[in-house]
Amino acid sequence: MSEELHLLASRRLRAAGMRYSKSRKAIVEVLAMAGRPLTLDEVLAFEADNDLAQSSVYRNATELVEAGVVKRLASGNDHNRFELDDSIIGHHHHFVCLICGNIEDFEVPEYFEKEILEIEADLAKKGFLVEGHTLDLQGRCHKCS
Ligand SMILES: [Zn+2]
Ligand SMILES: [Zn+2]
């Protein structure tokens, strides 16, 4: 796992007055490895041989969210999926499976993002403060189609 990622995560936690504990590091590591948003059950499954306790995973994930290292997803029906923050893994979008709830990351071409920025600029002129955007594509994943 990239040292840079852990350095970034530990800095953010320190700035928030938190320690980069073994459990928090394990969660960051699993999310980086997966490369897609995970439920906490999935985080635990990935870390089966680690000593991550179920009770502490939820608490630590929430604290990682507070520190800006991890993001709780707004995509999909269940909001209990977590991924590394966009500021760490980069801006991207989500494919949401309507059957099993699985979520995969994807990126759109640069021109597409530029168009959205122009829309944001237009809205700003009308007095709206845009803080970002999400784009979810919905359908069936390869397991469910
Ligand atoms: Zn599916
Ligand atoms: Zn994502």
Side-chain angles (χ1 to χ4, degrees), residues 119-129:
I119 295 170
E120 289 180 9
D122 283 346
L123 282 168
K125 281 180 210 150
K126 293 175 188 162
F128 293 95
L129 177 64

Side-chain angles (χ1 to χ4, degrees), residues 99-117:
I99 308 297
C100 71
N102 188 32
I103 298 180
E104 297 284 339
D105 290 353
F106 72 92
E107 284 167 31
V108 299
E110 213 171 311
Y111 71 80
F112 190 96
E113 290 291 348
K114 275 190 188 149
E115 293 281 333
I116 294 176
L117 287 178

Side-chain angles (χ1 to χ4, degrees), residues 97 100 141 144:
C97 177
C100 71
C141 75
C144 300

Side-chain angles (χ1 to χ4, degrees), residues 31 36-44 78 80-82:
L31 289 175
R36 65 181 178 84
L38 298 180
T39 63
L40 294 179
D41 282 345
E42 285 176 319
V43 171
L44 281 163
D78 87 80
N80 283 311
R81 280 175 194 269
F82 296 82

Side-chain angles (χ1 to χ4, degrees), residues 18 28 31 63-64 72 123 128 130 145:
M18 298 179 214
V28 168
L31 289 175
E63 285 162 352
L64 286 165
R72 184 194 289 268
L123 282 168
F128 293 95
V130 181
S145 56

